[in-house]
Amino acid sequence: MGAFSLTANNDIGSQARWTSVPLGRLEFPQVPEPYSGDFNDDFWPSRHEEYNRLEWDAMDWQAVRDQLSQAAQRLERHPEQQPELEFEAPSLRERTFLEMWFGYGDPSVEASETGDGHYRIGYGQHRICAYADYPMDERDRDLMRIPPTGFLPTGPLPPTTRIPVLTH
């Protein structure tokens, strides 16, 4: 597909910034223990139709990880309110996922600081959990059309992995 640029959306306010946050510092309202696959019963079933339409099971997750890793590195050095980002997307699936992450229309991966160095996710739980490739039970894997190995055979990303998040 090729390269494209995107201005990361910030509809939350002047104090909010796109920055880089380690996965281990994120708190998920519906996922008490993501590394143990402890999801609320309706977590994946509530969204599977939308994501199956986007064909997450056919997405090049390594390409998505590479692009988000580059964005996280940049935002770790220079947090910004509405950064102009450049991406290389192999297909429309990956481009759509990246546009959704950075809020094509709405901020889609957003968290508020809890005061102890952690961030409570407000939006984007499903995107983050798919990106991080947290374990899923068999029912959820079948529902999302994901093989037992997960989205990628490498397994879940470590808690030190930094991801781009709109924080406030």
Side-chain angles (χ1 to χ4, degrees):
M1 167 150 225
F4 72 100
S5 63
L6 156 69
T7 301
N9 195 14
N10 173 3
D11 285 339
I12 292 180
S14 61
Q15 299 303 312
R17 296 280 181 270
W18 280 96
T19 190
S20 175
V21 176
L23 282 170
R25 292 205 178 160
L26 298 175
E27 297 174 1
F28 299 87
Q30 294 180 287
V31 189
E33 296 292 333
Y35 285 97
S36 67
D38 184 13
F39 296 90
N40 285 6
D41 282 344
D42 68 340
F43 184 77
W44 291 112
S46 68
R47 302 298 287 273
H48 83 279
E49 288 182 11
E50 173 187 350
Y51 299 140
N52 285 343
R53 273 196 310 275
L54 294 172
E55 298 180 327
W56 278 15
D57 57 321
M59 199 169 353
D60 182 344
W61 285 98
Q62 193 58 58
V64 169
R65 282 185 174 180
D66 291 346
Q67 296 302 299
L68 286 177
S69 176
Q70 289 174 25
Q73 289 173 14
R74 174 184 160 185
L75 293 169
E76 183 177 10
R77 290 188 305 273
H78 304 288
E80 296 181 53
Q81 192 170 17
Q82 291 181 297
E84 180 75 17
L85 301 166
E86 304 229 351
F87 298 103
E88 189 72 33
S91 79
L92 191 56
R93 284 182 199 94
E94 293 80 16
R95 179 179 177 141
T96 301
F97 186 85
L98 293 166
E99 287 175 342
M100 291 171 69
W101 188 285
F102 288 99
Y104 190 68
D106 295 307
S108 294
V109 176
E110 169 269 317
S112 54
E113 195 165 3
T114 62
D116 61 357
H118 287 85
Y119 297 85
R120 183 163 179 82
I121 298 295
Y123 298 103
Q125 293 183 96
H126 294 82
R127 289 179 187 89
I128 296 168
C129 288
Y131 171 77
D133 205 11
Y134 293 131
M136 291 182 189
D137 66 27
E138 187 175 351
R139 177 202 70 165
D140 292 340
R141 281 197 314 270
D142 290 346
L143 193 64
M144 295 297 292
R145 302 192 304 237
I146 304 302
T149 57
F151 288 100
L152 285 170
T154 56
L157 292 173
T160 55
T161 303
R162 299 186 77 85
I163 64 167
V165 177
L166 179 60
T167 61
H168 56 96

